[in-house]
C-alpha cells in the first residue's frame, strides 16, 4: 500500500493548535489594502479557528484523522 500524500496547498495554509483544532489565516489581506479601513485590516491580522463544517475536508487534505 503506497503512502498517502499530503496536499501541498493545504499544508502551507493550515496549522494545528495544541488541542487539535485547525488554525487558518483571514482572506482579503493580501492586496488592494488602500481602500480598506485600518480597523478592517487590524481585525484581519489575527488567525482564526476553522469552522466545524470544513474540518473534515481539511483533515482529509492533511492526511490527519
Amino acid at each position: 500500500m503506497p503512502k498517502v500524500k499530503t496536499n501541498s496547498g493545504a499544508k502551507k495554509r493550515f496549522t494545528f493548535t495544541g488541542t487539535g483544532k485547525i488554525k487558518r489565516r483571514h482572506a482579503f489581506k493580501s492586496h488592494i489594502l488602500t481602500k480598506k479601513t485600518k480597523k478592517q485590516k487590524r481585525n484581519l491580522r489575527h488567525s482564526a479557528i476553522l469552522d466545524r463544517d470544513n474540518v473534515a475536508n481539511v483533515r482529509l487534505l492533511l492526511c490527519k484523522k
Side-chain angles (χ1 to χ4, degrees):
M1 186 102 185
K3 292 183 178 179
V4 181
K5 287 195 176 182
T6 302
N7 183 283
S8 299
K11 75 181 171 191
K12 294 170 194 169
R13 288 171 172 83
F14 301 104
T15 55
F16 286 91
T17 62
T19 56
K21 294 177 182 172
I22 303 173
K23 278 198 311 189
R24 65 171 177 86
R25 288 187 299 276
H26 280 107
F28 309 111
K29 186 65 172 67
S30 57
H31 61 105
I32 316 175
L33 298 173
T34 51
K35 61 176 77 169
K36 292 170 187 155
T37 62
K38 284 185 205 172
K39 182 179 180 180
Q40 187 179 2
K41 290 183 279 190
R42 185 171 62 244
N43 289 334
L44 291 172
R45 268 183 221 154
H46 311 289
S47 58
I49 300 295
L50 198 67
D51 60 306
R52 207 167 31 90
D53 302 328
N54 295 317
V55 168
N57 291 334
V58 173
R59 281 189 178 278
L60 197 70
L61 293 171
L62 295 173
C63 303
K64 300 272 184 175
K65 291 192 176 185

